[in-house]
Amino acid sequence: MYFLIVSEMVKLEKISDHIVIDTETQSMSRSSIIGGISLGKYSIAIESGSTLEIGMDLKLKLRDFFNLPVKYLFLTHTHNDHRGGMDAFSDETLIMSEKCKENMPKRIRLSKFSLEAFEEKHIIQENELSMEFLKVAGHSIGSSVAYFPSEKVLFAGDLFITEPINFGLPFMSFYQNKPKRTGNPEEYFAAFELFKSMDIDVIVPGHGQIINNPQEYLDKQTAFFNGLKTHFVAEIKRGNNLEEIEMPSMELIVHAYKIAESRKPKSKHVRFLDHYLEVLKTSFYNYYSGIFHNLD
Ligand SMILES: [Zn+2]
Protein backbone atom coordinates (compact mmCIF):
# COMPACT_ATOMS: atom_id res chain seq x y z
CA MET A 1 0.00 0.00 0.00
CA TYR A 2 1.31 3.43 -0.91
CA PHE A 3 0.41 6.52 1.02
CA LEU A 4 1.42 9.97 0.06
CA ILE A 5 1.34 12.41 2.91
CA VAL A 6 0.14 15.73 1.66
CA SER A 7 1.89 18.41 3.58
CA GLU A 8 0.00 21.45 4.73
CA MET A 9 2.30 24.03 3.27
CA VAL A 10 0.33 26.06 0.81
CA LYS A 11 -1.51 29.09 2.15
CA LEU A 12 -3.52 30.87 -0.47
CA GLU A 13 -4.26 34.53 -0.16
CA LYS A 14 -6.52 36.55 -2.37
CA ILE A 15 -4.86 39.37 -4.31
CA SER A 16 -7.88 40.27 -6.47
CA ASP A 17 -11.43 38.95 -6.94
CA HIS A 18 -10.47 35.91 -9.00
CA ILE A 19 -6.81 35.41 -8.10
CA VAL A 20 -5.03 33.76 -5.20
CA ILE A 21 -1.31 33.25 -4.59
CA ASP A 22 0.94 31.60 -2.05
CA THR A 23 4.15 33.43 -1.22
CA GLU A 24 4.97 31.49 1.99
CA THR A 25 5.99 28.15 0.52
CA GLN A 26 8.95 29.70 -1.31
CA SER A 27 10.73 30.51 1.94
CA MET A 28 10.42 26.93 3.26
CA SER A 29 11.34 25.10 0.08
CA ARG A 30 13.18 26.07 -3.05
CA SER A 31 9.91 26.77 -4.75
CA SER A 32 8.52 29.53 -6.92
CA ILE A 33 5.48 31.57 -6.02
CA ILE A 34 2.40 29.49 -6.92
CA GLY A 35 -1.19 30.51 -7.37
CA GLY A 36 -4.40 30.17 -9.27
CA ILE A 37 -7.19 31.97 -11.00
CA SER A 38 -10.90 31.24 -11.10
CA LEU A 39 -12.72 31.57 -14.41
CA GLY A 40 -16.11 30.91 -12.78
CA LYS A 41 -16.58 27.27 -13.83
CA TYR A 42 -13.11 26.04 -12.99
CA SER A 43 -9.71 27.30 -11.95
CA ILE A 44 -6.26 27.41 -13.54
CA ALA A 45 -3.23 26.65 -11.38
CA ILE A 46 -0.21 28.85 -12.04
CA GLU A 47 3.10 27.00 -11.50
CA SER A 48 3.27 23.78 -9.51
CA GLY A 49 6.01 24.51 -6.98
CA SER A 50 9.17 22.48 -6.51
CA THR A 51 7.82 19.16 -5.21
CA LEU A 52 4.93 16.76 -5.74
CA GLU A 53 3.68 17.51 -2.21
CA ILE A 54 3.46 21.22 -2.93
CA GLY A 55 1.70 20.52 -6.24
CA MET A 56 -0.86 18.26 -4.55
CA ASP A 57 -1.43 20.71 -1.75
CA LEU A 58 -1.89 23.55 -4.23
CA LYS A 59 -4.49 21.57 -6.17
CA LEU A 60 -6.46 20.73 -3.02
CA LYS A 61 -6.29 24.28 -1.70
CA LEU A 62 -7.42 25.74 -5.04
CA ARG A 63 -10.38 23.36 -5.10
CA ASP A 64 -11.35 24.32 -1.57
CA PHE A 65 -10.80 28.02 -2.00
CA PHE A 66 -12.87 28.47 -5.16
CA ASN A 67 -15.10 25.43 -4.64
CA LEU A 68 -14.42 24.56 -8.27
CA PRO A 69 -12.47 21.87 -10.10
CA VAL A 70 -8.97 22.71 -11.30
CA LYS A 71 -8.89 22.32 -15.07
CA TYR A 72 -5.46 23.57 -16.15
CA LEU A 73 -1.91 23.99 -14.92
CA PHE A 74 0.16 26.74 -16.53
CA LEU A 75 3.97 26.60 -16.31
CA THR A 76 5.97 29.74 -17.09
CA HIS A 77 9.13 27.78 -17.89
CA THR A 78 10.99 24.50 -17.51
CA HIS A 79 12.89 24.99 -14.25
CA ASN A 80 12.30 22.56 -11.43
CA ASP A 81 11.26 25.13 -8.82
CA HIS A 82 8.23 25.89 -11.05
CA ARG A 83 7.40 22.47 -12.49
CA GLY A 84 8.53 20.06 -9.73
CA GLY A 85 4.92 19.50 -8.59
CA MET A 86 3.43 19.00 -12.05
CA ASP A 87 2.73 15.27 -11.54
CA ALA A 88 -0.06 16.30 -9.15
CA PHE A 89 -1.85 17.65 -12.23
CA SER A 90 -1.86 14.50 -14.37
CA ASP A 91 -5.69 14.66 -14.67
CA GLU A 92 -5.63 18.30 -15.71
CA THR A 93 -4.41 19.93 -18.91
CA LEU A 94 -0.97 21.53 -19.04
CA ILE A 95 -0.50 24.88 -20.73
CA MET A 96 2.98 25.95 -21.79
CA SER A 97 4.72 27.43 -24.79
CA GLU A 98 5.84 25.15 -27.59
CA LYS A 99 9.45 26.16 -26.89
CA CYS A 100 9.04 25.38 -23.19
CA LYS A 101 7.72 21.94 -24.16
CA GLU A 102 10.66 21.33 -26.52
CA ASN A 103 13.15 22.32 -23.84
CA MET A 104 11.79 20.22 -21.00
CA PRO A 105 14.49 17.93 -19.57
CA LYS A 106 14.34 14.55 -21.34
CA ARG A 107 13.44 12.68 -18.15
CA ILE A 108 10.15 14.61 -17.84
CA ARG A 109 7.53 12.46 -19.56
CA LEU A 110 5.08 14.93 -21.03
CA SER A 111 3.31 12.15 -22.95
CA LYS A 112 1.27 11.23 -19.87
CA PHE A 113 -0.32 14.69 -19.74
CA SER A 114 -2.88 16.28 -21.95
CA LEU A 115 -1.14 19.36 -23.22
CA GLU A 116 -2.04 22.65 -24.88
CA ALA A 117 1.19 24.11 -26.21
CA PHE A 118 1.17 27.49 -27.93
CA GLU A 119 3.63 29.32 -30.20
CA GLU A 120 3.27 32.99 -29.24
CA LYS A 121 -0.11 33.53 -27.61
CA HIS A 122 -2.97 31.49 -26.21
CA ILE A 123 -6.27 32.68 -24.75
CA ILE A 124 -8.72 30.78 -22.57
CA GLN A 125 -12.12 32.37 -22.51
CA GLU A 126 -14.95 31.48 -20.15
CA ASN A 127 -18.00 33.70 -20.40
CA GLU A 128 -16.84 37.22 -19.62
CA LEU A 129 -13.47 36.16 -18.26
CA SER A 130 -10.32 35.42 -20.18
CA MET A 131 -6.75 34.50 -19.41
CA GLU A 132 -3.96 35.32 -21.85
CA PHE A 133 -0.71 33.39 -22.12
CA LEU A 134 2.18 35.10 -23.92
CA LYS A 135 5.60 33.81 -24.81
CA VAL A 136 8.25 36.45 -24.15
CA ALA A 137 11.43 34.35 -23.62
CA GLY A 138 14.26 36.31 -21.89
CA HIS A 139 14.79 34.31 -18.74
CA SER A 140 14.91 30.97 -20.55
CA ILE A 141 13.88 29.48 -23.85
CA GLY A 142 10.11 29.60 -24.11
CA SER A 143 9.54 31.61 -20.90
CA SER A 144 5.94 32.79 -20.83
CA VAL A 145 3.66 34.95 -18.76
CA ALA A 146 -0.03 34.78 -17.85
CA TYR A 147 -2.14 37.93 -17.91
CA PHE A 148 -5.64 38.40 -16.49
CA PRO A 149 -6.90 41.62 -18.11
CA SER A 150 -10.08 42.08 -16.07
CA GLU A 151 -8.06 42.38 -12.87
CA LYS A 152 -4.84 43.66 -14.46
CA VAL A 153 -2.61 41.00 -12.93
CA LEU A 154 0.47 39.59 -14.64
CA PHE A 155 2.14 36.34 -13.57
CA ALA A 156 5.64 36.89 -14.94
CA GLY A 157 7.67 33.90 -13.70
CA ASP A 158 11.40 34.53 -13.33
CA LEU A 159 11.53 37.59 -15.57
CA PHE A 160 11.32 39.27 -12.17
CA ILE A 161 12.76 38.28 -8.83
CA THR A 162 12.15 40.82 -6.10
CA GLU A 163 13.11 41.53 -2.51
CA PRO A 164 14.37 40.26 -0.20
CA ILE A 165 16.27 38.05 -2.65
CA ASN A 166 18.28 40.28 -4.95
CA PHE A 167 19.72 43.06 -2.73
CA GLY A 168 17.47 45.71 -4.29
CA LEU A 169 18.93 45.09 -7.75
CA PRO A 170 16.82 44.46 -10.83
CA PHE A 171 17.05 40.82 -11.80
CA MET A 172 18.12 39.34 -15.09
CA SER A 173 19.42 35.83 -15.53
CA PHE A 174 20.43 33.74 -18.46
CA TYR A 175 20.05 30.07 -19.10
CA GLN A 176 19.64 29.91 -22.80
CA ASN A 177 21.26 29.79 -26.21
CA LYS A 178 22.98 26.51 -25.42
CA PRO A 179 25.75 25.52 -25.76
CA LYS A 180 27.06 29.04 -25.16
CA ARG A 181 24.79 29.46 -22.16
CA THR A 182 24.70 33.17 -22.65
CA GLY A 183 21.45 35.01 -22.72
CA ASN A 184 19.72 37.66 -24.63
CA PRO A 185 19.19 40.98 -22.82
CA GLU A 186 17.25 42.30 -25.84
CA GLU A 187 14.49 39.77 -25.13
CA TYR A 188 14.19 41.22 -21.64
CA PHE A 189 14.07 44.77 -23.03
CA ALA A 190 11.31 43.72 -25.44
CA ALA A 191 9.38 42.05 -22.61
CA PHE A 192 9.70 45.14 -20.37
CA GLU A 193 8.46 47.31 -23.23
CA LEU A 194 5.52 45.00 -23.85
CA PHE A 195 4.58 45.06 -20.16
CA LYS A 196 4.86 48.87 -20.13
CA SER A 197 2.27 49.01 -22.90
CA MET A 198 -0.14 46.73 -21.03
CA ASP A 199 -2.64 47.73 -18.39
CA ILE A 200 -1.09 46.12 -15.29
CA ASP A 201 -1.75 46.86 -11.61
CA VAL A 202 0.13 43.95 -10.07
CA ILE A 203 3.05 41.79 -11.23
CA VAL A 204 3.47 38.44 -9.52
CA PRO A 205 7.19 37.59 -9.88
CA GLY A 206 8.74 34.13 -9.85
CA HIS A 207 10.19 34.71 -6.38
CA GLY A 208 10.02 37.43 -3.74
CA GLN A 209 7.25 39.92 -3.05
CA ILE A 210 4.54 40.97 -5.46
CA ILE A 211 5.07 44.23 -7.35
CA ASN A 212 2.34 46.79 -6.68
CA ASN A 213 3.93 49.65 -8.62
CA PRO A 214 4.59 47.94 -11.97
CA GLN A 215 5.15 51.04 -14.11
CA GLU A 216 7.72 52.51 -11.74
CA TYR A 217 9.31 49.09 -11.27
CA LEU A 218 9.59 48.50 -15.02
CA ASP A 219 11.18 51.93 -15.48
CA LYS A 220 13.77 51.10 -12.82
CA GLN A 221 14.54 47.72 -14.39
CA THR A 222 14.86 49.22 -17.86
CA ALA A 223 17.04 52.14 -16.72
CA PHE A 224 19.42 49.84 -14.84
CA PHE A 225 19.88 47.39 -17.69
CA ASN A 226 20.06 50.17 -20.29
CA GLY A 227 22.87 51.68 -18.19
CA LEU A 228 24.71 48.36 -18.37
CA LYS A 229 24.08 48.04 -22.10
CA THR A 230 25.42 51.54 -22.86
CA HIS A 231 28.51 50.83 -20.77
CA PHE A 232 29.25 47.47 -22.36
CA VAL A 233 28.62 48.61 -25.93
CA ALA A 234 31.01 51.56 -25.42
CA GLU A 235 33.71 49.36 -23.84
CA ILE A 236 33.42 46.75 -26.59
CA LYS A 237 33.67 49.46 -29.27
CA ARG A 238 36.86 50.62 -27.56
CA GLY A 239 38.21 47.12 -28.12
CA ASN A 240 38.26 46.03 -24.48
CA ASN A 241 37.76 42.38 -23.65
CA LEU A 242 35.83 40.80 -20.79
CA GLU A 243 38.76 40.90 -18.33
CA GLU A 244 39.46 44.55 -19.10
CA ILE A 245 35.90 45.74 -18.57
CA GLU A 246 34.76 46.70 -15.07
CA MET A 247 31.14 46.92 -14.06
CA PRO A 248 30.05 50.58 -14.12
CA SER A 249 29.74 52.31 -10.76
CA MET A 250 25.98 52.57 -10.56
CA GLU A 251 24.13 53.75 -7.48
CA LEU A 252 22.03 50.60 -7.28
CA ILE A 253 25.14 48.40 -7.23
CA VAL A 254 26.74 50.45 -4.44
CA HIS A 255 23.48 50.18 -2.52
CA ALA A 256 23.27 46.41 -3.17
CA TYR A 257 26.70 45.91 -1.55
CA LYS A 258 25.55 47.88 1.50
CA ILE A 259 22.59 45.52 1.82
CA ALA A 260 24.75 42.41 1.30
CA GLU A 261 27.25 43.59 3.93
CA SER A 262 24.49 44.19 6.46
CA ARG A 263 23.27 40.58 6.19
CA LYS A 264 24.63 37.61 8.10
CA PRO A 265 26.82 35.82 7.27
CA LYS A 266 28.24 38.81 5.44
CA SER A 267 30.80 36.89 3.33
CA LYS A 268 28.14 34.53 1.95
CA HIS A 269 25.86 37.39 0.86
CA VAL A 270 28.71 39.40 -0.65
CA ARG A 271 29.86 36.31 -2.58
CA PHE A 272 26.33 35.76 -3.82
CA LEU A 273 26.13 39.35 -5.05
CA ASP A 274 29.60 39.13 -6.64
CA HIS A 275 28.47 36.03 -8.49
CA TYR A 276 25.24 37.64 -9.71
CA LEU A 277 27.13 40.68 -11.05
CA GLU A 278 29.74 38.42 -12.70
CA VAL A 279 26.95 36.55 -14.52
CA LEU A 280 25.43 39.85 -15.66
CA LYS A 281 28.81 41.10 -16.84
CA THR A 282 29.61 37.94 -18.80
CA SER A 283 26.14 37.83 -20.34
CA PHE A 284 26.15 41.46 -21.45
CA TYR A 285 29.68 41.16 -22.79
CA ASN A 286 29.04 37.93 -24.67
CA TYR A 287 25.79 39.13 -26.14
CA TYR A 288 26.86 42.58 -27.31
CA SER A 289 30.34 41.55 -28.43
CA GLY A 290 28.71 38.75 -30.47
CA ILE A 291 26.48 41.26 -32.21
CA PHE A 292 29.33 43.57 -33.11
CA HIS A 293 31.51 40.73 -34.36
CA ASN A 294 28.64 39.54 -36.50
CA LEU A 295 28.37 43.00 -38.03
CA ASP A 296 32.04 43.00 -39.08
ZN1 LIG B 1 12.36 30.22 -10.30
Side-chain angles (χ1 to χ4, degrees):
M1 185 85 84
Y2 174 65
F3 292 99
L4 185 66
I5 314 254
V6 175
S7 55
E8 290 280 333
M9 299 177 90
V10 176
K11 290 188 179 62
L12 297 177
E13 79 182 273
K14 209 167 165 177
I15 59 163
S16 63
D17 279 352
H18 291 81
I19 297 184
V20 290
I21 60 165
D22 162 294
T23 55
E24 295 296 311
T25 307
Q26 57 175 343
S27 60
M28 293 178 278
S29 59
R30 298 174 76 86
S31 183
S32 64
I33 293 180
I34 49 181
I37 173 157
S38 157
L39 290 188
K41 282 190 183 158
Y42 53 81
S43 73
I44 302 173
I46 313 279
E47 317 276 36
S48 66
S50 56
T51 66
L52 179 60
E53 288 76 10
I54 294 173
M56 291 183 78
D57 198 19
L58 172 64
K59 191 163 115 173
L60 290 175
K61 297 279 165 62
L62 282 175
R63 256 188 219 154
D64 286 354
F65 194 95
F66 292 124
N67 203 16
L68 291 170
V70 179
K71 188 170 175 187
Y72 296 99
L73 166 67
F74 168 64
L75 297 177
T76 57
H77 64 291
T78 60
H79 295 160
N80 182 64
D81 52 326
H82 300 250
R83 59 124 172 99
M86 68 193 278
D87 280 354
F89 295 85
S90 52
D91 296 331
E92 286 72 31
T93 298
L94 297 188
I95 301 172
M96 65 181 72
S97 74
E98 196 62 51
K99 281 271 178 264
C100 176
K101 179 184 146 192
E102 285 167 22
N103 283 280
M104 271 291 169
K106 291 282 168 283
R107 65 194 151 77
I108 306 295
R109 282 180 40 236
L110 286 176
S111 55
K112 63 183 174 186
F113 294 94
S114 86
L115 184 67
E116 283 178 20
F118 62 95
E119 287 293 343
E120 300 295 329
K121 185 173 182 177
H122 184 56
I123 297 177
I124 290 183
Q125 182 100 29
E126 194 57 51
N127 299 323
E128 300 295 289
L129 300 171
S130 68
M131 190 75 178
E132 299 176 7
F133 304 93
L134 308 164
K135 190 191 82 185
V136 292
H139 170 66
S140 57
I141 295 172
S143 277
S144 311
V145 300
Y147 177 55
F148 189 54
S150 44
E151 285 163 19
K152 302 177 186 176
V153 176
L154 180 79
F155 284 87
D158 287 356
L159 282 164
F160 302 98
I161 292 185
T162 59
E163 290 317 288
I165 299 164
N166 216 33
F167 310 104
L169 278 181
F171 178 77
M172 194 183 271
S173 80
F174 304 98
Y175 297 97
Q176 61 177 341
N177 298 359
K178 289 175 190 171
K180 277 170 74 188
R181 289 201 160 271
T182 63
N184 186 336
E186 292 297 325
E187 286 178 356
Y188 274 87
F189 287 125
F192 297 158
E193 210 175 305
L194 173 70
F195 302 154
K196 280 284 288 183
S197 74
M198 290 162 64
D199 201 1
I200 300 172
D201 282 346
V202 173
I203 297 176
V204 181
H207 304 265
Q209 298 161 350
I210 65 169
I211 300 161
N212 287 309
N213 55 343
Q215 295 297 329
E216 202 183 307
Y217 196 86
L218 286 163
D219 286 342
K220 185 177 155 188
Q221 297 269 132
T222 310
F224 179 75
F225 293 120
N226 262 328
L228 283 187
K229 176 180 170 179
T230 306
H231 174 74
F232 278 90
V233 169
E235 291 288 314
I236 291 162
K237 278 187 176 161
R238 257 179 232 129
N240 290 331
N241 64 30
L242 181 62
E243 286 68 37
E244 291 163 334
I245 302 176
E246 302 270 341
M247 282 295 265
S249 56
M250 295 166 91
E251 209 178 297
L252 276 173
I253 296 180
V254 175
H255 183 63
Y257 274 103
K258 279 190 188 139
I259 295 174
E261 282 162 11
S262 70
R263 289 183 183 166
K264 287 191 172 57
K266 178 174 147 182
S267 61
K268 182 182 146 197
H269 290 286
V270 169
R271 263 205 316 276
F272 191 80
L273 178 55
D274 284 342
H275 174 72
Y276 172 60
L277 292 171
E278 199 54 42
V279 170
L280 272 188
K281 182 180 157 179
T282 310
S283 301
F284 271 75
Y285 176 80
N286 285 349
Y287 184 76
Y288 290 106
S289 61
I291 279 186
F292 292 117
H293 296 158
N294 293 341
L295 289 176
D296 285 345

